[in-house]
Amino acid sequence: MHKVYPDAKSALEGLLFDGMTIMSGGFGLCGIPENLIVAVRDSGVRDLTIISNNCGVDDFGLGLMLQTRQIRKMLSSYVGENAEFERQFLSGELELEFNPQGTLAERIRAGGAGIPAFYTRTGYGTLVAEGKETREFDGEMYVMETGLVADLSIVKAWKGDRSGNLIYRKSARNFNPMMATAGKACVAEVEHLVDVGELDPDQIHTPGIYVQRMILGPSFEKRIERRTTRPRE
Amino acid sequence: MPLTREQLAQRAAQELRDGYYVNLGIGIPTLVANYIPSGTDVMLQSENGMLGLGPFPYEGMEDPDLINAGKQTVTAIPGTSFFSSADSFGMIRGGHIDLAILGAMEVSEQGDLANWMIPGKMVKGMGGAMDLVAGVKRVVVVMEHTNKAGESKVLHACRLPLTGKQCVDLIITDLCVFEVGDSGLLLTELAPGSNSDEIKGKTEARFTVSDSLREMTL
């Protein structure tokens, strides 16, 4: 099993093509695969459909690929942090499909688990239910949502071993575990790469079966979106 | 006098009960955390994957891996747990969260809520709001009674696209409190200095006045 690649560029080699769908982990700027995003941008691949809860900020994260017009469509729940996003969307250059955050998370989980569709109460009677099948269960109305898969998923973990087992840290876990399961290929970047056997099997969040390739990130900016503090007493 | 943002948060905090698991929305709802009554033990949930939300960190102690759903740096507390977004919304959708306190643009007399989009303006997205109102046991809305133009935000029917249908249980405005029931809105509390005539003048929705109408205690 040779999953570890020397850098992000080589880890993505042969996996990228124009018009593909990529899932990218993270919530806001927290837990995003920042090194892999830069490598996807640098590859020049175009007409991408990106599935990600948010779209970074103008100069960090997925926002970098907006600047280069590589994204054609976004599936997200919230995109409020990005001026270039707004400009491209309003001018019609960028397509956008909003999903309620929990529906997005569950669609990805379902996709990775081989579940083609499920019913949820979320969004019943709203715009997001328009054109979708609805059904009553025990007197309550539900909306049918489909599972999501992607050609590639890129995720960020705190620690990984060479067989692809991953452990996330604090709230940087977010969408990463589901996305790791729902890509035809998953590439992970980790802050700490350890040998097989060094991780406690009880503590592993993503079993290595889901991860085909991985890199030790050369550096992590881990930018903070809203720095909030309290005064020391 | 209409309530200030802090007083709105203070009144909303009276909806907390010992042992509750609670999700607070962005804006005034976030301030509710500052007014948790002493002796009331609540666990705050953040839909990005955290249960047991602590206060903001001291300067220099910020952790980029530790943020709330508003993307603010926060801290963990004894008993905190972290989990994935799928688990987080399983918790929400599955009805395990006792209370959500959210902001609103419009609420209807049936308890419909609109708080995520204004057609023709840039839409940022619904985030987790639709999941929260569809899954949490009790939904409390805090908002100003009227918009900037002085028009009622408590309506006969919402005009903006909905976040959820018949999902709101209690409306706390800067002028009054309405309970949402099967037979419509019931005016139960008034802000200090307000009266039911003022509420009638500033409310488009139909409502009945409770026999036990009282002034809010803050």
Side-chain angles (χ1 to χ4, degrees):
Chain A
M1 251 190 295
H2 296 289
K3 295 189 177 181
V4 180
Y5 285 65
D7 54 41
K9 186 181 176 203
S10 58
L12 292 169
E13 196 155 311
L15 298 177
L16 302 175
F17 56 93
D18 290 348
M20 72 186 298
T21 299
I22 301 178
M23 285 179 184
S24 182
F27 179 91
L29 302 179
C30 181
I32 61 171
E34 55 180 277
N35 291 288
L36 289 162
I37 289 170
V38 169
V40 172
R41 179 198 63 182
D42 292 347
S43 76
V45 67
R46 303 191 65 81
D47 291 324
L48 299 174
T49 296
I50 302 282
I51 302 171
S52 184
N53 190 54
N54 316 91
C55 196
V57 292
D58 281 326
D59 62 342
F60 190 62
L62 290 171
L64 295 172
M65 283 202 276
L66 285 174
Q67 285 181 8
T68 49
R69 316 279 171 89
Q70 285 164 284
I71 304 177
R72 184 179 56 79
K73 183 178 179 182
M74 283 294 306
L75 265 80
S76 301
S77 86
Y78 193 82
V79 294
E81 321 298 346
N82 197 315
E84 177 62 14
F85 190 102
E86 181 169 346
R87 195 199 63 71
Q88 289 186 23
F89 175 69
L90 293 174
S91 70
E93 293 163 61
L94 181 67
E95 216 182 308
L96 171 61
E97 181 188 317
F98 276 127
N99 280 224
Q101 196 176 141
T103 295
L104 183 64
E106 190 63 13
R107 290 184 72 189
I108 297 164
R109 196 197 70 80
I115 295 170
F118 59 92
Y119 287 93
T120 175
R121 267 198 306 274
T122 303
Y124 178 74
T126 76
L127 286 178
V128 303
E130 276 181 12
K132 290 175 186 164
E133 190 181 317
T134 56
R135 189 166 158 181
E136 188 182 321
F137 294 92
D138 291 332
E140 281 232 52
M141 291 304 295
Y142 294 78
V143 185
M144 192 182 83
E145 297 281 0
T146 53
L148 281 173
V149 291
D151 298 304
L152 171 69
S153 61
I154 52 176
V155 302
K156 153 77 199 309
W158 176 50
K159 271 187 185 178
D161 72 18
R162 293 177 172 276
S163 67
N165 291 312
L166 303 179
I167 294 176
Y168 307 95
R169 183 172 177 271
K170 301 186 178 177
S171 61
R173 191 182 318 185
N174 56 60
F175 281 83
N176 285 298
M178 298 85 75
M179 287 188 174
T181 70
K184 284 179 195 156
C186 170
V187 182
E189 64 178 75
V190 299
E191 287 181 60
H192 303 280
L193 181 65
V194 301
D195 283 328
V196 173
E198 282 188 42
L199 298 180
D200 178 351
D202 268 336
Q203 304 301 321
I204 288 166
H205 299 129
T206 292
I209 188 170
Y210 296 114
V211 178
Q212 281 70 49
R213 300 182 184 185
M214 59 193 303
I215 60 161
L216 174 63
S219 65
F220 289 90
E221 179 182 340
K222 304 219 295 188
R223 192 185 293 186
I224 291 175
E225 204 161 336
R226 296 194 204 291
R227 188 179 299 275
T228 43
T229 58
R230 69 187 144 132
R232 289 178 189 273
E233 277 109 45
Chain B
M1 281 288 284
L3 302 188
T4 63
R5 287 163 59 87
E6 285 71 24
Q7 287 173 315
L8 264 172
Q10 231 177 315
R11 173 59 191 84
Q14 294 171 13
E15 299 305 309
L16 302 170
R17 297 288 176 273
D18 194 39
Y20 264 17
Y21 293 95
V22 179
N23 185 293
L24 301 176
I26 291 163
I28 297 170
T30 304
L31 301 176
V32 173
N34 301 334
Y35 299 100
I36 298 171
S38 62
T40 303
D41 196 10
V42 300
M43 276 286 231
L44 300 179
Q45 201 254 16
S46 192
E47 63 265 27
N48 55 319
M50 181 175 184
L51 190 61
L53 203 54
F56 294 145
Y58 293 124
E59 205 174 329
M61 301 293 282
E62 307 92 321
D63 182 343
D65 290 337
L66 186 44
I67 64 168
N68 65 15
K71 288 143 193 161
Q72 297 170 311
T73 46
V74 292
T75 55
I77 55 172
T80 293
S81 55
F82 297 110
F83 34 84
S84 73
S85 302
D87 286 334
S88 180
F89 282 96
M91 195 179 285
I92 290 166
R93 202 188 301 105
H96 305 282
I97 305 285
D98 297 294
L99 175 68
I101 302 178
L102 303 169
M105 296 172 183
E106 297 177 348
V107 191
S108 82
E109 60 194 48
Q110 295 81 35
D112 297 349
L113 171 66
N115 72 352
W116 77 283
M117 85 176 275
I118 301 174
K121 288 203 178 169
M122 178 60 198
V123 180
K124 293 184 169 187
M126 69 290 278
M130 284 192 182
D131 307 279
L132 283 162
V133 300
V136 172
K137 285 181 198 156
R138 179 170 165 82
V139 175
V140 171
V141 153
V142 285
M143 64 177 194
E144 278 149 1
H145 201 94
T146 56
N147 62 21
K148 288 193 180 89
E151 296 157 347
S152 174
K153 290 169 68 171
V154 186
L155 303 173
H156 177 57
C158 292
R159 302 182 181 98
L160 294 171
L162 296 184
T163 307
K165 274 177 92 72
Q166 298 180 2
C167 58
V168 177
D169 298 291
L170 190 75
I171 305 167
I172 303 171
T173 80
D174 52 353
L175 297 179
C176 69
V177 176
F178 291 116
E179 281 173 15
V180 187
D182 291 336
S183 50
L185 300 183
L186 184 67
L187 177 68
T188 56
E189 292 177 41
L190 294 167
S194 187
N195 57 60
S196 45
D197 283 339
E198 181 188 12
I199 304 303
K200 278 200 182 86
K202 290 182 173 169
T203 307
E204 183 198 283
R206 291 169 301 196
F207 62 89
T208 49
V209 179
S210 167
D211 295 336
S212 52
L213 179 68
R214 61 187 179 90
E215 188 177 293
M216 284 181 205
T217 47
L218 294 170

